[in-house]
Amino acid sequence: MKNIVLLFGGQSTEHEVSCRSVLTVLKAVNREKYRPILLGITKAGEWIPVENTEKIEDGSWREDKRRAMLLPDAGLKSLVLFEEDGSCRMEKADIVFPVLHGKGGEDGTVQGLLELAEIPYVGCGVLSSAISMDKISTKLAVEKVLERQGVRQAKYIALSHSEWKKEKRRVEICREAEEELHFPVFVKPSNAGSSCGVSKVENQEALPLAVEKALQVDRRVLIEEFIKGRELECAVFSGVPGEVVASSVGEIKAAAEFYDYDAKYNNPDSKTELNPDLPSDVEEKIRKAAKSIFLAVDGFSLSRVDFFFTGEEIVFNEINTLPGFTSISMYPMLFEKAGWNIEELVEKLIASAENRPS
């Protein structure tokens, strides 16, 4: 029997979502083949071993004084668990499933540690994780692919913290936003998840405050054209290098003005539609584009690719390399519709770790 380490929590703004996602994944792990080891990461960056799900559900795991460490030593491929009395022991880490969303988990950092340790892991690799987590880098990486697919992305202005602090450049950026993008616009941290730090801005006067808000999350910011359209998502899976399966298309019906963190996880009026009324050619075009985008960022294992449909055109929004696995998450629901229940999906994801391209 192999040990599978489930990493959850993390130092990102999506910490709580990860704690919910890991419970879904844990229940689906085949206990006849794998022995799960739960390893939680607090917002302060403490790595804590967790024995039971009740502690995850009530949050008490964060109070544990024990610690754990994933070793980068490729010969050992192990965890070290530190007890409160100062003693320690090693556990083999045969496979790691980073059920982590956002910074420090979905951005290539944990993936780099696992590459050093030469431990098979679920999810996209270092490069694809880093590119996909950063919205500006994603836009640059997929631009040519989108052109060939006849799909566009929203027009945007990219800026850095140092650039914004220069008064002359700040004035120029505000003018460019009005003249090239037109209000309203969205202001987003380049590197963040679940719409954290995102604002919809109606006029130039409100733009500086929105940029400052986004800069609190990341040092690079995107000012993006507002796309009025239906929010559509497509799940992709790759268990063998070069072979990509795309699900059908689902639709998000946000209860708020846009699908931010609160609308997604805290507003019961937000809905997911697994059978949206779409022209067949639009759905097929989205599925084809999702696979091409996934390959363009060197994706592997899993991702969710998000689009808008205006009624006239398809617009690429973003790609998530470790989408949510909560009870309301689109990724597992779309593949369940395709005939893979959650146990089969998790089994396929774990198996993909063994097939990672070198």
Side-chain angles (χ1 to χ4, degrees), residues 301-354:
S301 193
L302 79 160
S303 286
R304 195 196 69 236
V305 191
D306 301 348
F307 300 86
F308 294 108
F309 178 53
T310 67
E312 297 178 353
E313 61 180 351
I314 298 165
V315 183
F316 167 63
N317 182 20
E318 63 182 8
I319 178 170
N320 292 271
T321 55
L322 210 306
F325 273 79
T326 71
S327 60
I328 61 168
S329 295
M330 188 71 87
Y331 188 91
M333 288 195 295
L334 284 171
F335 273 120
E336 184 172 16
K337 181 190 171 188
W340 300 354
N341 62 36
I342 188 64
E343 290 80 13
E344 290 172 301
L345 177 58
V346 168
E347 180 72 19
K348 288 177 183 290
L349 289 170
I350 294 172
S352 75
E354 305 280 8

Side-chain angles (χ1 to χ4, degrees), residues 62-218:
R62 301 180 185 91
E63 301 165 11
D64 202 310
K65 301 303 180 184
R66 295 173 304 157
R67 295 292 181 266
M69 177 190 300
L70 183 62
L71 298 175
D73 190 309
L76 295 174
K77 295 180 175 59
S78 297
L79 291 170
V80 176
L81 304 173
F82 301 93
E83 302 297 338
E84 285 191 67
D85 62 7
S87 64
C88 64
R89 60 186 172 87
M90 290 178 64
E91 286 273 14
K92 196 73 174 174
D94 297 300
I95 300 170
V96 173
F97 195 144
V99 193
L100 295 165
H101 312 307
K103 287 185 178 181
E106 198 177 346
D107 57 3
T109 50
V110 163
Q111 289 77 11
L113 173 59
L114 295 169
E115 291 282 352
L116 286 174
E118 296 184 7
I119 298 172
Y121 61 94
V122 174
C124 287
V126 176
L127 178 66
S128 52
S129 298
I131 289 174
S132 301
M133 187 67 199
D134 187 272
K135 295 178 178 64
I136 295 171
S137 298
T138 304
K139 284 182 173 291
L140 295 172
V142 305
E143 188 172 8
K144 297 298 182 183
V145 165
L146 291 176
E147 286 179 9
R148 291 196 293 270
Q149 297 289 338
V151 174
R152 79 175 184 94
Q153 56 186 338
K155 294 182 288 185
Y156 67 98
I157 297 168
L159 64 96
S160 65
H161 181 271
S162 58
E163 192 177 9
W164 180 252
K165 291 305 175 185
K166 297 175 182 177
E167 185 176 356
K168 182 179 178 182
R169 181 58 186 139
R170 188 163 63 246
V171 172
E172 289 175 349
I173 289 168
C174 291
R175 186 178 67 249
E176 289 169 13
E178 184 167 33
E179 295 176 355
E180 298 176 18
L181 305 182
H182 311 296
F183 290 100
V185 298
F186 273 110
V187 178
K188 306 176 179 180
S190 187
N191 203 308
S194 280
S195 302
C196 295
V198 175
S199 302
K200 184 180 179 183
V201 178
E202 301 289 348
N203 52 59
Q204 194 176 98
E205 290 71 30
L207 185 59
L209 188 62
V211 172
E212 294 290 348
K213 175 183 174 182
L215 285 170
Q216 292 176 9
V217 179
D218 187 44

Side-chain angles (χ1 to χ4, degrees), residues 254-326:
E257 190 171 17
F258 65 97
Y259 201 45
D260 62 4
Y261 185 96
D262 191 60
K264 186 179 295 186
Y265 295 110
N266 298 324
N267 193 325
D269 294 327
S270 290
K271 304 296 182 185
T272 52
E273 174 59 63
L274 298 181
N275 298 288
D277 183 16
L278 291 170
S280 58
D281 62 321
V282 169
E283 174 149 359
E284 187 52 38
K285 195 171 185 178
I286 287 174
R287 294 178 71 246
K288 187 177 178 181
K291 291 194 284 187
S292 296
I293 290 164
F294 182 68
L295 291 172
V297 299
D298 195 33
F300 184 70
S301 193
L302 79 160
S303 286
R304 195 196 69 236
V305 191
D306 301 348
F307 300 86
F308 294 108
F309 178 53
T310 67
E312 297 178 353
E313 61 180 351
I314 298 165
V315 183
F316 167 63
N317 182 20
E318 63 182 8
I319 178 170
N320 292 271
T321 55
L322 210 306
F325 273 79
T326 71

